[in-house]
Amino acid sequence: MSRVGLRLLSAIPTLFGVVVVTFLLTRVLPGDPAVFFASNPAMSAADIAAVRETLGLDQPLYQQFLIYLGNLAQGDLGRSIATGQPVAAEFARRLPASAELTCLAFLLAVSVAVPLGLAAALRPGSLVDHAVRLIVTLGVSMPTFVTGLLMIYVFYVLAGVVPEPIGRLDPFLFEPARVTGFLTIDALLAGDRQILAAALHQMLLPAATMALFALAPLTRMTRAAMIATLGSEFIRTARAAGLSRGRIVVVYALRNALLPVVTTMGMVFSYMLGANVLVERVFSWPGIGAFAIDSIVNLDYAPLQGFMLIMAALFIAVNLVVDIVSAIIDPRVGH
Amino acid sequence: MTHPVHPVRQGGLRRALRGNPLNLFALALFALLCFAAAFGPLLVPHDPLATDAAAALQPPSARHWFGTDQIGRDLFSRVVVATRLDLLIALGAVSLSLVAGSALGAIIGYWGGVLDTVVSRLVDVLMAFPLFVLAMALVAALGNSVINVVYATAIVNLPFYIRLARSEVRPRRALGYVEAARAGGSGDWRILLRHLIPNIAAPLVIQASVNLGWAVLNAAALSFLGLGVRPPTPEWGIMVAEGARFIASGEWWIVTFPGLALMLAVLAFNLLGDALRDLLDPRLRR
Amino acid sequence: MTPLLSIRALSVEFDTSHGTVHALDRLSFDIAPGEILGIIGESGSGKSVTAYAVMGILDRAARITGGEILFRGENLLAMAPRARDAWRGRGAAMVFQNPRTALNPIRTVGDQIADVVARHSGLSRRAVRARVQELLRHVRIPDPERRALAYPFQLSGGLCQRVGIAMALACAPRLLIADEPTTGLDVTTQAAIMELIRERARDSGTAVALITHDLALAAETCDRLVIMHAGHVVEAAPTAAILSRPRHPYTAGLLRSVPSLAGSIAQLQAVPGSLPDLRRADLPPCRFAERCPRRLPRCDAPGPLALEEIAPGHLAACRNLP
Amino acid sequence: MTALLQARNLSCHFRLRRETLFGRPPLLHAVDGVDLTIHAGEALGLVGESGCGKSTLARLLARLLDPTGGQLFLHGAEISRESVSRFARSDRRRAIQMVFQDPTESLNPLLTVFQSIADPGGRLLGPLSRTALRQRVEEAAAAVNLPLEFLDRYPHQLSGGQKARVGIARALVVEPQLLVLDEPTSALDVSVQATVLQLLDRLRRDRGIALLFVSHDLNVVRLLCQRIAVMYLGEIVETGAAADIYRAPAHPYTRALLSAIPSLRPRGAGRIRLDGEPQSPVNPCATRCRFAGRCFMEQPLCTQVAPELRALPGGRQVRCHYAG
C-alpha cells in the first residue's frame, strides 16, 4: 500500500509540470483575449483595459500564474469567452459523452485485439498470422478522420444501417434522467431499453472508428509479447516437466505476456484521448474534444487550458492504474 | 545459435526484399511518392487551384480521374501536388526531433546526474499530454502556420527520441569497448561521438522511419481541423475536411482520394520502417 | 543389460536465415539405468540439441531428419504427442543452465513445483503441498515453508537451481538430464549442487546425463564420458579409461588444454583451429579432420565415419587411431 | 623493489536507491579498504566469487572508476586525485591498460580490427605518422599471433579466441607497464583458453609487463600467477605466494574455495561444504567478520570483532582471528 502511496506522490511533480506548461502555452496564444472579449466596436480602449483588469491580464506573468494556481485549487478553471459559462461546468457537462465513447471503443479494441494477437502468436507464420499482420499494418496507416468519414458513407449513406451521425441520441428521443452522464448507464438505470439500444446504435460507428485505430498497437504488442514469452527459458522448463500445453499457454505464457500488453493499453488509451478530438469532429459528438477545437478556433484560452489539464490528468491517472495492475501481475515490479 | 553481431551484412538488403513481398511493395510505393513529390506539380493535367463552377462536384471521369470538388477543382491534380507539402512537413519534423532528441538523450544517458533528472522530468511532463492534443495546442500557441506545424510535430515527438537514445546509451556505458576507449585515452565527447552514437543509430533510424508515417498523419489531422496549412493550398487533410461536408449527400470521391493518398503514404512509411527493423535489428532476425 | 536410453543415428538440422545447420549427424550413444554419464563438448558441439531432442522440446526451426531415440526399447520419436507429454517429467526430466531465467519469474517456486507434482500424480491439493515441502527439504532448501512462497528473483542462483532440481525430481524420473547445471554459479555453490545431483540420483536409482564443457567437473562426477565434437560422438568410454588413455585426437587435445591437469603453464596446449561451420554443404566425414594433427588422406575418403568399439566398452570414431 | 601500483585503503561504495522517502540511501560496499601492491613484472591473481567486488576493484586499479575513498599510487605518485576522464587524457594513462571479460562486448562492432587496435595508439602515443601507427598496430597484432589479414575484418567475422586476442593487442599497442585482465578467458572454450593464458605468460616474461589477473578459477590463477589475493564481500581476506596458498590455504574461505574446484587429480581431504547464505554487501556490519554465518571455524568472537588483515610467516596476510 505504501508503494501505491509513493507512486501517487511521484505523480505530483509531473502534474505540476503539466500545469506550468498548460499555463505558459495558453499565455502565448496569439491575439489578446481581452480584445476578443471586448470585440464590440462600441467599446473604447478604457473598456478593454477594464476587461484586461478583470481577467487579470495586466499583472506580471508569475502573479497571473499564482492566481491561476489559486483558482485551480478551488476547482475554478476560468470562464469561457465564447459561451460565457464557467469552463468547469462546460466540461462536466461534456466529459461523460467523451468518456463513454472512449471506454466503449477501448473495450471493443481490447476484446478484438488480444484474441487476435494470441491466435497469431500461437501459430507464427500461419495464415492467421499473416492476416493479423496485414490488419495491423493497415490499421496503423488509417487516418481516423478518413476512416470515420468512409464508414459514414458506407454504413449510413449506402447501407443505411446506422442512424445519422449527429450527436449522441436521435433528437426525437428523450434523454434519460441524468445520473452518471453515460447515456447507456443512465438508460439502464431508468430501465429504458429503447434509449439504451438507440444510444448504443448511435455510438457504434464512432466507437468502431476509434477502436480500429487502437487495434493495431494492441494486437502487435500481444503477438510480440506472447511470442517472446513462449520462446523464453522458463517455458522450456515447463515443457520439459511435462506440463500440458493448455496450462503452459494460459498459466505460464499468457500471464507473463500480459505485462507489456497492459503497458501498451495505457498508451493506447492516451492515444485514444487524442484521437477523440478528430472522431468527435467527424461524428458531431458533443464531447470535450469538439469543445476544445471550437475554443482553439475562437482563441478562447480558458477552455483550451482546461482541456489540456483534464487530458493530462486523465493520462496520469491511467498510467497510475497501469502501474498498479502491473504490480499485481508481476511481483518484481517495485522491487 | 548465436546471432550475427554486426547489424548489416552483405546481401541483407536483397534478402529482406526477397523474404517479404510487402517490402517490395513498400519500396515501389515510396518511389512513387518521391516521384510525385519531385515532379508532380510539373506533370499534373490541371492547375490544382483553378476553379470551374460549371464542373463542380463531378464524379471521377476520364477528364477528371478523381472527380472535382465543390468549386470544380481537379482532385487528381490536387492530390498529386499535395504530396510534396505533406512529405516535406513530415520529413522536416522527424529530422528535427531525430537530431535534437538523439543528441539530448545520448548526452543525458551518458552523463546522468542532475541534467538527466531535469530533462527526464520534462520529458515526463511532455508525455503526459496526448500527442495530438499537445500538437494542437502548440500550433495554436505558436501561430497557425505550416512551419509551426513542423515545430509542433517535432516537439511532441522529441520525448520518444530522448527516451530511446537515453535507454540505448545507458547500458552501453559499461560495455567493454567503451571502457577500452577510456583506457585508450578517449575523453567523454569522443566516446560519445565515435563509439556510442554510431552504435545506437540503428534503433533511432528505425524509430524515425516509423515516425514519418505518424508525422504525415499528424500534419494532415491538424489541417483537417483547420490548423496549420490553410485553404486553398492543396493538402490531403484540408481536402478531406472539405469533402466531409459532402459525404452525407453521397459525394464520396472528395474524401476518398486524398484519404487514400494519405493512407498509402503512411502505409509506405510503416512498411519501410518494418523492413528496416528486420534489416537492422539482429535480435528479431531468425 | 538393456540400456535405459539408446540414441541411434540421430540427425538434427535447423534452418537459419543464413542456411541449414547440420547440428547432429548420426549421433549414437546409450545410457544404462542408474548410470551417471557425462556429455562433454565445446560450445556448438550439439550437446544441448541432443538433450532437447530427447526431451522433445526442440525449437520450431529444428527438425529431426533421421534416427531414433529408444527409451526402454520404445521409440520416443514415434510416440503420440499426448503420451510424450505424459512421459516428460516421469520418464525423463531436465535441469537447465541459468537457474534464474529457467523459472517462471511471476509464479512462486512452490506453485511451480506443485504444478509438476499435480500434473503427474493426481494427488489432492493438500497432498501436493506436502509433497512440495518434502521435495524442498530433499534438495536442502533451508526454511522450506517460507521459501515455497518466494518468487525466483528473491532467491539466490544456487537456491533457484535447487528448486529446478526439485522440479525435475518431482515425479521420480528414470533419467535426469542436467544441461550445464552449474554454469554461472560460484565454485562453492557448484560443488554443493553437483553433490546434490549425485546423491539424489544414487538414492533413487535415477540415471543422469550431465552435459558440460568442464571436463574436470564431469570426470569427478561421472561413471562414463561421451565426448562430442561438431555434432558427432568422437569417443565414449568409462571415465578412467578416457583420462588414462584417450584414443581420439580431439579427446587427447582437450585433456591437454585443461588447466587443472597441467603442472605448469608450459604443459598447457590448446586444440588448434575451431569448430567447422556446420552450415557448410561439404562437411568432411570426419568433422575434426581440419583441426587434427594426425590427419591422413584416408581420413577424407567419402563414406560415413563409424563409431567402433576399440576395447571393451571403449568406442571411438577415428580412421587413424594410435 | 619499488611498487608499480599501490592501493591504500581503497574503497568504492555505490549509493543505491533510497527505500523510504526521507531515509539515507543504502550504500553498497563493493570494495572496502583494500591495500594491495603490484610489483613490476609480476602476475598477481585476484580471486573471488561473483559479486565479491573483484571486477570493481579491477576497474579502480585500472583507473576506469573513481574510488569513493583511499588512494592509488603509480610508481609512488598519487593518481587517484584527478577524475577518470581527466586521467584518460594524461600521459600516465598508457601505463595501465585493461582487457575485458566478454570479447564480443569489448570490441566496437562498427570498427575494423585495425581501427580498434589503433584507437588507443592514436590517443596516447602522441603525434604519430600513419605509417608509424600502422607499424605499431602490426607489431601488437604480431605479439598476440593475430595474422595481419585480420586487421581489415570486423569483430563479427572473428571467433571468440580471436576477439580476445584483439582485445589484448589493443591494450598492448601503447606498451603499458600493467595489464589488468578481468576474467579474460571466462567466455572462451577451454581448448582456446590455453592459447590466451600462454600468450599472457609470454608477454610478462618477454616484456616485463605486470599482470593483474582477475578470475574465479583458482586452477587458472595457479598456473599464471606468482601471487594471489583472495577477495570476499569487498575485502581482501588472504594474500600470499600462489604456491603457498595453493598448498596450504589459511583463511577458511580460501580453504573452502580450493576444496570446491573440481579436479582431475586425486583429492586429499574431503570437500568443505559452506552452509548458510552470504551476508549482504549493503551497509555491512562493521563489527562482524563478513564470512561469519558461512564459516566452519566460526567462534563467538567472529560476530563481535571484525578481523583485520594480519601477517603470517612467508609474506602472507590473512583476515581471520583463528587462521594459521
Side-chain angles (χ1 to χ4, degrees):
Chain A
M1 221 51 239
S2 71
R3 267 188 4 229
V4 175
L6 216 62
R7 177 67 187 75
L8 273 170
L9 278 180
S10 75
I12 288 177
T14 315
L15 208 55
F16 182 76
V18 163
V19 173
V20 173
V21 168
T22 313
F23 174 79
L24 288 179
L25 262 183
T26 42
R27 286 306 133 131
V28 296
L29 269 183
D32 188 335
V35 175
F36 182 88
F37 197 43
S39 61
N40 185 335
M43 286 184 113
S44 66
D47 293 332
I48 291 177
V51 173
R52 286 180 64 87
E53 206 180 313
T54 48
L55 287 175
L57 293 175
D58 54 340
Q59 314 254 359
L61 201 62
Y62 77 93
Q63 264 183 6
Q64 288 188 39
F65 181 64
L66 288 180
I67 294 170
Y68 176 65
L69 268 187
N71 290 342
L72 214 54
Q74 295 165 18
D76 179 4
L77 292 175
R79 202 171 271 273
S80 161
I81 299 169
T83 66
Q85 295 292 313
V87 169
E90 292 276 2
F91 278 117
R93 205 154 53 78
R94 288 177 164 86
L95 190 58
S98 298
E100 190 178 23
L101 179 61
T102 311
C103 288
L104 182 71
F106 183 70
L107 287 181
L108 215 61
V110 170
S111 55
V112 174
V114 172
L116 219 53
L118 283 184
L122 288 178
R123 288 185 185 72
S126 70
L127 208 64
V128 183
D129 189 25
H130 285 301
V132 163
R133 271 193 183 194
L134 192 72
I135 295 171
V136 164
T137 317
L138 284 178
V140 282
S141 310
M142 299 277 234
T144 327
F145 51 102
V146 177
T147 356
L149 288 167
L150 291 181
M151 287 231 254
I152 291 176
Y153 180 69
V154 173
F155 294 103
Y156 169 65
V157 178
L158 289 184
V161 292
V162 294
E164 192 177 0
I166 293 178
R168 303 173 76 189
L169 203 58
D170 194 299
F172 296 107
L173 290 173
F174 292 104
E175 283 197 19
R178 186 184 168 101
V179 184
T180 59
F182 281 47
L183 279 185
T184 46
I185 295 178
D186 286 353
L188 269 179
L189 289 176
D192 192 336
R193 284 170 171 242
Q194 194 202 352
I195 299 287
L196 174 68
L200 278 176
H201 208 179
Q202 197 84 29
M203 237 188 322
L204 196 62
L205 222 49
T209 306
M210 276 175 76
L212 207 61
F213 171 77
L215 206 58
L218 281 177
T219 313
R220 184 188 276 249
M221 185 43 93
T222 309
R223 176 182 179 277
M226 197 65 187
I227 285 181
T229 314
L230 282 173
S232 60
E233 293 180 25
F234 65 86
I235 293 290
R236 204 179 51 195
T237 311
R239 286 177 68 198
L243 296 192
S244 65
R245 186 171 160 80
R247 193 164 182 81
I248 289 176
V249 168
V250 177
V251 179
Y252 280 72
L254 188 56
R255 250 192 83 191
N256 283 276
L258 226 48
L259 201 65
V261 174
V262 166
T263 314
T264 312
M265 281 183 190
M267 273 170 55
V268 162
F269 200 83
S270 139
Y271 282 158
M272 287 173 90
L273 290 175
N276 230 334
V277 178
L278 293 164
V279 174
E280 287 181 8
R281 163 59 70 94
V282 169
F283 289 89
S284 312
W285 198 258
I288 57 172
F291 185 51
I293 295 293
D294 292 340
S295 57
I296 285 186
V297 174
N298 297 335
L299 294 177
D300 190 357
Y301 71 92
L304 182 62
Q305 223 164 33
F307 178 67
M308 302 270 296
L309 273 185
I310 289 178
M311 284 295 185
L314 273 176
F315 178 80
I316 291 172
V318 166
N319 263 347
L320 214 60
V321 172
V322 165
D323 284 359
I324 292 170
V325 172
S326 301
I328 293 171
I329 296 177
D330 189 342
R332 287 168 299 178
V333 173
H335 274 269
Chain B
M1 275 283 104
T2 51
H3 281 297
V5 184
H6 194 255
V8 187
R9 293 184 134 210
Q10 281 179 344
L13 187 67
R14 223 177 313 133
R15 203 173 33 248
L17 285 177
R18 193 154 19 95
N20 194 345
L22 269 182
N23 294 345
L24 206 63
F25 172 68
L27 212 61
L29 213 55
F30 182 68
L32 186 70
L33 283 171
C34 292
F35 181 79
F39 305 109
L42 305 174
L43 299 176
V44 290
H46 299 272
D47 178 352
L49 296 176
T51 59
D52 177 3
L57 290 179
Q58 281 185 2
S61 64
R63 182 168 156 70
H64 298 289
W65 295 352
F66 289 176
T68 59
D69 65 7
Q70 72 282 6
I71 43 176
R73 290 174 298 197
D74 177 54
L75 279 174
F76 176 73
S77 306
R78 285 176 67 75
V79 165
V80 171
V81 170
T83 314
R84 184 184 288 179
L85 182 61
D86 276 279
L87 292 197
L88 276 182
I89 292 176
L91 214 62
V94 169
S95 348
L96 265 180
S97 41
L98 173 67
V99 171
S102 315
L104 197 56
I107 286 171
I108 63 170
Y110 184 76
W111 272 286
V114 183
L115 186 69
D116 179 27
T117 315
V118 170
V119 173
S120 296
R121 274 295 175 191
L122 279 177
V123 162
D124 285 347
V125 169
L126 276 188
M127 287 182 89
F129 296 101
L131 296 188
F132 185 65
V133 171
L134 186 61
M136 248 167 54
L138 279 170
V139 176
L142 298 173
N144 206 343
S145 70
V146 176
I147 190 68
N148 284 340
V149 169
V150 174
Y151 290 145
T153 310
I155 291 173
V156 300
N157 273 311
L158 211 55
F160 294 95
Y161 292 92
I162 295 178
R163 279 200 175 173
L164 184 63
R166 178 178 181 276
S167 70
E168 291 284 336
V169 161
R170 271 209 146 219
R172 286 186 169 81
R173 288 188 307 177
L175 235 45
Y177 65 80
V178 173
E179 295 216 75
R182 200 170 289 130
S186 292
D188 292 325
W189 284 106
R190 189 180 146 84
I191 288 175
L192 208 54
L193 289 175
R194 181 172 161 91
H195 294 287
L196 287 173
I197 290 186
N199 273 298
I200 64 163
L204 285 163
V205 168
I206 292 169
Q207 163 99 351
S209 71
V210 175
N211 205 204
L212 269 175
W214 185 87
V216 172
L217 265 187
N218 188 62
L222 285 175
S223 44
F224 173 77
L225 295 177
L227 291 166
V229 190
R230 311 272 189 95
T233 318
E235 196 280 336
W236 296 331
I238 293 180
M239 295 165 75
V240 173
E242 284 171 345
R245 287 188 279 142
F246 298 93
I247 198 85
S249 48
E251 280 92 8
W252 54 272
W253 55 90
I254 316 182
V255 165
T256 306
F257 290 110
L260 215 57
L262 184 54
M263 206 193 94
L264 286 179
V266 180
L267 186 66
F269 288 129
N270 284 337
L271 287 175
L272 279 182
D274 284 351
L276 214 58
R277 195 197 310 267
D278 290 347
L279 195 66
L280 294 182
D281 193 343
R283 278 167 301 185
L284 292 173
R285 208 186 291 152
R286 272 253 145 202
Chain C
M1 193 162 63
T2 57
L4 174 70
L5 183 85
S6 181
I7 298 177
R8 293 272 152 264
L10 182 70
S11 296
V12 173
E13 298 179 354
F14 44 91
D15 293 323
T16 68
S17 54
H18 304 284
T20 301
V21 177
H22 305 277
L24 298 183
D25 178 44
R26 279 161 296 191
L27 188 82
S28 301
F29 65 85
D30 292 349
I31 302 178
E35 174 184 41
I36 300 186
L37 177 80
I39 302 175
I40 320 279
E42 295 174 78
S43 49
S45 60
K47 300 166 298 198
S48 293
V49 177
T50 310
Y52 294 172
V54 171
M55 294 304 296
I57 55 171
L58 283 168
D59 272 5
R60 258 168 206 281
R63 57 176 180 273
I64 294 173
T65 53
E68 46 191 20
I69 303 172
L70 304 173
F71 185 79
R72 308 173 90 191
E74 188 183 0
N75 188 1
L76 292 176
L77 301 180
M79 224 183 226
R82 263 176 199 284
R84 189 80 188 273
D85 276 354
W87 169 84
R88 283 190 205 114
R90 261 193 306 200
M94 192 159 168
V95 175
F96 296 88
Q97 58 177 338
N98 307 333
R100 254 177 227 276
T101 49
L103 295 176
N104 187 342
I106 64 170
R107 202 164 166 74
T108 63
V109 296
D111 283 351
Q112 294 188 54
I113 301 174
D115 283 339
V116 183
V117 174
R119 157 78 173 153
H120 295 290
S121 67
L123 292 173
S124 71
R125 287 184 69 158
R126 175 184 297 230
V128 166
R129 209 168 319 147
R131 173 83 178 123
V132 168
Q133 290 299 318
E134 187 190 333
L135 283 164
L136 287 175
R137 271 195 301 276
H138 210 57
V139 294
R140 287 199 209 98
I141 289 183
D143 199 358
E145 284 85 8
R146 195 166 58 85
R147 289 281 160 60
L149 300 176
Y151 292 95
F153 77 95
Q154 293 165 323
L155 301 180
S156 67
L159 282 183
C160 281
Q161 193 55 292
R162 286 169 194 269
V163 170
I165 294 170
M167 256 173 100
L169 295 176
C171 302
R174 303 260 170 183
L175 171 66
L176 177 70
I177 302 180
D179 186 3
E180 306 263 12
T182 59
T183 311
L185 298 181
D186 289 321
V187 216
T188 49
T189 317
Q190 163 174 300
I193 293 284
M194 286 317 300
E195 196 182 301
L196 189 69
I197 291 179
R198 224 165 18 224
E199 240 178 68
R200 289 293 157 259
R202 293 276 187 243
D203 290 355
S204 56
T206 301
V208 176
L210 173 69
I211 295 177
T212 180
H213 65 276
D214 189 338
L215 193 57
L217 184 75
E220 201 178 59
T221 312
C222 303
D223 309 321
R224 210 155 59 84
L225 300 179
V226 166
I227 314 287
M228 283 185 69
H229 177 266
H232 280 158
V233 169
V234 294
E235 188 163 4
T239 306
I242 294 246
L243 292 188
S244 60
R245 193 164 175 229
R247 302 293 294 270
H248 195 282
Y250 177 62
T251 315
L254 212 53
L255 278 169
R256 279 194 295 270
S257 72
V258 176
S260 59
L261 265 187
S264 74
I265 197 153
Q267 289 172 9
L268 269 191
Q269 214 172 322
V271 183
S274 53
L275 287 185
D277 185 348
L278 296 182
R279 291 170 304 198
R280 263 164 53 183
D282 60 330
L283 279 168
C286 174
R287 293 182 178 180
F288 186 64
E290 286 161 11
R291 305 172 73 178
C292 185
R294 290 212 304 261
R295 185 182 189 176
L296 290 177
R298 68 164 186 260
C299 293
D300 298 321
L305 188 67
L307 186 62
E308 284 164 16
E309 186 154 16
I310 49 176
H314 197 146
L315 294 93
C318 181
R319 288 175 178 165
N320 182 24
L321 284 172
Chain D
M1 194 156 57
T2 70
L4 168 61
L5 189 73
Q6 193 178 16
R8 220 179 271 164
N9 200 19
L10 206 60
S11 295
C12 188
H13 299 171
F14 295 108
R15 205 177 286 265
L16 302 181
R17 259 171 66 174
R18 63 186 77 207
E19 281 148 353
T20 54
L21 203 54
F22 302 106
R24 196 183 277 182
L27 280 185
L28 178 103
H29 291 230
V31 172
D32 231 0
V34 163
D35 292 307
L36 201 65
T37 307
I38 303 170
H39 301 288
E42 78 166 343
L44 172 67
L46 183 62
V47 186
E49 294 184 349
S50 58
C52 72
K54 56 187 192 300
S55 284
T56 308
L57 180 56
R59 276 168 178 71
L60 289 176
L61 296 175
R63 283 305 280 127
L64 290 172
L65 191 66
D66 285 320
T68 51
Q71 293 159 297
L72 199 60
F73 301 90
L74 179 69
H75 293 300
E78 187 175 352
I79 55 169
S80 47
R81 287 240 180 98
E82 50 195 353
S83 74
V84 163
S85 49
R86 262 186 169 298
F87 184 73
R89 281 164 302 196
S90 81
D91 53 350
R92 281 164 305 180
R93 175 68 271 181
R94 54 182 287 206
I96 313 169
Q97 288 296 309
M98 185 151 173
V99 176
F100 299 89
Q101 182 168 14
D102 186 327
T104 301
E105 285 189 349
S106 72
L107 296 180
N108 185 339
L110 302 178
L111 300 187
T112 62
V113 169
F114 178 83
Q115 288 170 318
S116 277
I117 300 179
D119 191 49
R123 308 294 301 167
L124 295 176
L125 292 176
L128 217 58
S129 72
R130 280 178 74 93
T131 44
L133 186 62
R134 175 108 213 157
Q135 197 188 341
R136 292 269 195 163
V137 171
E138 286 178 1
E139 276 169 18
V144 298
N145 300 328
L146 197 70
L148 290 186
E149 68 258 27
F150 280 64
L151 290 180
D152 297 323
R153 298 197 184 165
Y154 284 94
H156 71 93
Q157 296 166 312
L158 307 182
S159 72
Q162 288 161 348
K163 281 185 250 190
R165 279 184 279 160
V166 174
I168 297 172
R170 174 178 56 193
L172 286 181
V173 81
V174 294
E175 296 172 345
Q177 294 158 322
L178 170 64
L179 265 190
V180 177
L181 304 121
D182 185 11
E183 307 237 16
T185 61
S186 69
L188 302 179
D189 275 313
V190 222
S191 64
V192 183
Q193 173 176 279
T195 327
V196 176
L197 293 179
Q198 281 167 337
L199 166 66
L200 291 172
D201 192 53
R202 211 185 60 224
L203 287 173
R204 187 185 64 82
R205 285 174 196 280
D206 298 354
R207 305 186 175 205
I209 298 176
L211 306 175
L212 176 76
F213 189 89
V214 179
S215 178
H216 64 275
D217 191 338
L218 272 164
N219 273 324
V220 173
V221 169
R222 170 183 64 101
L223 291 180
L224 192 66
C225 301
Q226 292 81 52
R227 274 202 310 136
I228 294 183
V230 183
M231 246 183 126
Y232 187 81
L233 274 183
E235 293 178 334
I236 303 275
V237 294
E238 183 166 3
T239 59
D244 294 348
I245 288 187
Y246 206 77
R247 198 184 57 245
H251 195 279
Y253 174 67
T254 319
R255 286 169 63 183
L257 205 58
L258 265 172
S259 90
I261 29 172
S263 159
L264 297 179
R265 315 172 140 219
R267 183 181 301 280
R271 189 152 271 168
I272 299 169
R273 206 161 77 197
L274 292 182
D275 290 318
E277 292 282 297
Q279 295 173 33
S280 163
V282 179
N283 293 339
C285 177
T287 58
R288 185 188 163 145
C289 173
R290 294 197 182 172
F291 193 49
R294 292 181 86 189
C295 184
F296 54 93
M297 287 168 47
E298 191 172 325
Q299 303 285 332
L301 180 66
C302 301
T303 54
Q304 291 154 11
V305 179
E308 297 286 317
L309 262 188
R310 64 190 167 88
L312 293 182
R316 285 171 76 177
Q317 288 183 305
V318 63
R319 190 187 292 274
C320 178
H321 296 305
Y322 300 101

